[in-house]
Amino acid sequence: MAEARDVGEPLEAGAEAEGQVAVAGRLVARRGQGKTVFADIEDRSGTIQAWATLDRLGEQGLGLLADAHVGDIIGVRGTVVRTRRGEVSVAADAVEMLAKSLRPPPDRHAGLKDPETRYRQRYLDLMASDEVRAQFVTRARAIAGVRRFLDDRGFIEVETPVLQPIYGGAAARPFVTHHNELDRDLYLRIATELYLKRCLVGGLEKVYEIGKDFRNEGVSFKHNPEFTMLETYEAYADYEDVAAMLEEMVAAVAVQATGGTVIPWKGGEIDLTPPWRRVRLTDALEDASGIDVLAHPDAADLRARMRAAGLDAPDTAPWGKLVDGILSQALEPQLVQPTILLDYPLELSPFAKRREDDPRLVERFEAFCGGMEIANAFSELNDPDDQRERFAMLQADREAGDDEAQPSDEDFLTALEHGMPPTGGLGLGLDRLVMLLTDRHSIREVILFPAMRT
RNA sequence: GGGCCGUUAGCUCAGUUGGUCAGAGCAGGGGACUUUUAAUCCCAAGGUCCUGGGUUCGAAUCCCAGACGGCCCA
């Protein structure tokens, strides 16, 4: 169809090009005129008008077109002409019904607005809206850009199990399923972290995986129960190296997906050009809330301080969760321009290496943009004894009622005991990255088929 | 989990104080028309007013409960 338009472009009104062309697509408009029919046909490159007359097409062919419904998929063979009114068209010598549409498409001009129908029957949304189609093309381009960036840097893409005997690598409740033949329960992964680290133990050194993670939690504008995650691990790198790579990668992907590193966001702009602002988490929390969390190492103490500052602080939340609460309530919404928060409390980070200068903190950062967390990274903990202690802390959290605390993974500890090189690791939520790059404010706008009730 | 809002024809939407309020445009059906561009003109048809209760002489409209969805908050 694009080629047919190219053929017709140089024609003057009323002229006809040499040679036959064939186009196929969905009928989006039809203007019947007795013994003449004009039909607009659309494919993914755009539309072209088919012009059918009784003289050229005969009674049967014209009848087929006259009886066709908007929504039908038809093929037209003929010559390229420019009509007297200047429209590049295919003057039909033959038409063919390729697929009947038994149901009417969404209204062409009003579009499809009902969000429920848009999400449940995404094909109608795609059919009705060029912008929605472009949205998912941009998503594909962004993810291809991530792969290209990492491949060019010598990373290899690997695939690790989705069905796992023990879940881990994040704080979340899992989905549980059952293997009939083995008669055992398995978990859908909440992260790829612990398997990718096994790859590092084995010497693959620079690996990444792009795939779905599954978290058994609520649905919101930034959460879908299954979502697309990138994780990367690079041997002999630390979290500073990872931060530098992340900035470059996001900037490169922004260029590939949108053409530049300054992107529109909620009526303003976000400048993704490296370097991004870096702040120590504890300093940023104090600026945003007035609370120095390290000065309140006791949970009850911190809770009281938070409530005095007007923040929500659940009775049962341990110290680490309270710090996370200050972050999400007081700080995260302010982080519109890209910001890297460095050096997290150990309690929040069971797989990150301790800072040598302050054992209460770990070498970890999270990157925020558009008021959302988009990435999480650390210098990976590779000391098996320390890792075993961290699992014990998580176990204590579980026993204290935290159902998001993950169980210990003895097989992973065995791998670490074989020696994992010092490693920088990164997790980047690709759905949120696409939201950012396309100025969409709900994760449902960037996932083709988002989770819905029933 | 909490608050607010929404649900009327295939799509987009009106619907006044509870009383010819079951409506429009487009799509779909029948007809006219050989250069149209959201073609035009004529005709006919199209409904579980989300569901279930309740109030009332009378409910799309008011009340209660529920389902689904959206937004905001947590």
Side-chain angles (χ1 to χ4, degrees):
Chain A
M1 196 174 285
E3 290 169 28
R5 281 197 301 270
D6 289 344
V7 169
E9 200 47 47
L11 294 177
E12 291 183 9
E16 178 168 7
E18 303 260 322
Q20 292 266 306
V21 296
V23 296
R26 194 179 288 278
L27 183 62
V28 294
R30 193 195 51 189
R31 296 172 289 282
Q33 181 108 22
K35 297 184 178 63
T36 299
V37 174
F38 296 92
D40 295 340
I41 304 169
E42 180 179 67
D43 72 5
R44 66 178 180 173
S45 75
T47 65
I48 196 166
Q49 175 173 269
W51 173 32
T53 59
L54 182 63
D55 301 340
R56 275 183 84 136
L57 198 51
E59 198 138 337
Q60 199 178 5
L62 193 70
L64 187 149
L65 209 53
D67 290 343
H69 291 175
V70 170
D72 291 347
I73 294 172
I74 63 176
V76 177
R77 192 179 300 277
T79 58
V80 178
V81 301
R82 192 184 279 280
T83 61
R84 285 215 288 267
R85 298 288 179 94
E87 184 82 13
V88 172
S89 307
V90 176
D93 294 310
V95 295
E96 192 178 357
M97 177 63 64
L98 300 175
K100 282 294 292 178
S101 172
L102 302 180
R103 297 173 186 266
D107 184 85
R108 184 169 174 225
H109 310 292
L112 180 61
K113 293 191 180 159
D114 176 25
E116 189 166 355
T117 309
R118 289 188 52 228
Y119 300 148
R120 288 188 193 275
Q121 295 179 274
R122 179 72 86 181
Y123 49 91
L124 295 178
D125 191 28
L126 291 163
M127 200 187 287
S129 167
D130 296 343
E131 281 165 34
V132 172
R133 285 199 300 273
Q135 165 69 29
F136 288 101
V137 171
T138 301
R139 180 189 170 109
R141 235 183 249 144
I143 292 175
V146 168
R147 282 202 165 89
R148 191 169 312 138
F149 180 90
L150 292 168
D151 292 344
D152 287 349
R153 288 201 162 210
F155 282 81
I156 62 164
E157 183 171 8
V158 297
E159 292 174 275
T160 65
V162 172
L163 296 174
Q164 302 180 345
I166 299 175
Y167 62 94
R173 295 203 309 255
F175 288 93
V176 186
T177 188
H178 189 77
H179 191 300
N180 292 338
E181 190 67 26
L182 298 181
D183 190 25
R184 68 175 300 179
D185 285 341
L186 292 168
Y187 302 96
L188 274 64
R189 67 186 180 195
I190 59 172
T192 48
E193 175 156 354
L194 302 187
Y195 281 92
L196 291 174
K197 285 180 177 174
R198 288 166 166 94
C199 295
L200 269 288
V201 171
L204 289 179
E205 291 193 344
K206 294 172 90 168
V207 298
Y208 74 95
E209 180 163 9
I210 291 174
K212 289 280 184 74
D213 288 346
F214 305 85
R215 297 185 185 173
N216 207 335
E217 58 193 16
V219 174
S220 81
F221 75 95
K222 58 181 178 179
H223 293 98
N224 197 61
E226 57 178 290
F227 60 98
T228 303
M229 186 76 157
L230 165 72
E231 290 193 37
T232 73
Y233 293 86
E234 178 175 7
Y236 312 112
D238 66 12
Y239 76 141
E240 302 272 7
D241 300 320
V242 175
M245 182 181 83
L246 173 68
E247 294 169 332
E248 282 183 48
M249 178 165 67
V250 170
V253 169
V255 169
Q256 288 187 35
T258 72
T261 56
V262 178
I263 57 171
W265 180 256
K266 293 189 174 178
E269 278 185 348
I270 289 177
D271 186 352
L272 297 169
T273 312
W276 295 352
R277 187 167 79 102
R278 286 164 168 72
V279 197
R280 289 168 57 93
L281 171 68
T282 50
D283 294 341
L285 289 175
E286 187 165 3
D287 283 350
S289 68
I291 303 173
D292 176 359
V293 296
L294 294 179
H296 300 275
D298 175 68
D301 191 22
L302 181 60
R303 189 175 298 119
R305 188 71 189 73
M306 284 174 70
R307 287 176 180 167
L311 298 172
D312 191 56
D315 289 328
T316 56
W319 187 83
K321 289 262 178 194
L322 292 172
V323 173
D324 197 43
I326 301 173
L327 171 59
S328 60
Q329 292 174 66
L331 181 54
E332 185 171 2
Q334 301 173 13
L335 300 176
V336 176
Q337 296 302 318
T339 304
I340 290 173
L341 298 183
L342 297 154
D343 301 334
Y344 276 55
L346 181 134
E347 283 83 349
L348 286 169
S349 317
F351 298 104
K353 187 176 280 186
R354 280 175 212 265
R355 285 192 67 83
E356 287 180 10
D357 60 354
D358 187 342
R360 296 173 300 176
L361 301 177
V362 294
E363 293 191 6
R364 173 184 178 188
F365 75 81
E366 288 187 310
F368 292 81
C369 203
M372 293 182 294
E373 178 208 335
I374 61 165
N376 180 25
F378 0 107
S379 300
E380 302 294 339
L381 176 58
N382 63 340
D383 176 339
D385 296 331
D386 194 351
Q387 183 68 74
R388 194 176 295 278
E389 286 173 26
R390 307 288 185 91
F391 275 129
M393 290 169 63
L394 290 169
Q395 184 57 33
D397 288 347
R398 278 177 84 76
E399 284 162 9
D402 180 358
D403 58 1
E404 290 189 345
Q406 60 198 289
S408 180
D409 187 337
E410 207 46 55
D411 188 62
F412 172 64
L413 288 167
T414 300
L416 281 191
E417 285 165 4
H418 282 280
M420 185 177 86
T423 296
L426 169 71
L428 176 65
L430 293 182
D431 304 295
R432 290 188 188 176
L433 179 66
V434 174
M435 286 169 68
L436 202 60
L437 294 178
T438 55
D439 198 13
R440 304 290 154 162
H441 313 130
S442 164
I443 199 168
R444 294 179 166 199
E445 295 294 339
V446 303
I447 292 177
L448 275 168
F449 301 99
M452 304 289 282
R453 276 176 202 270
T454 67

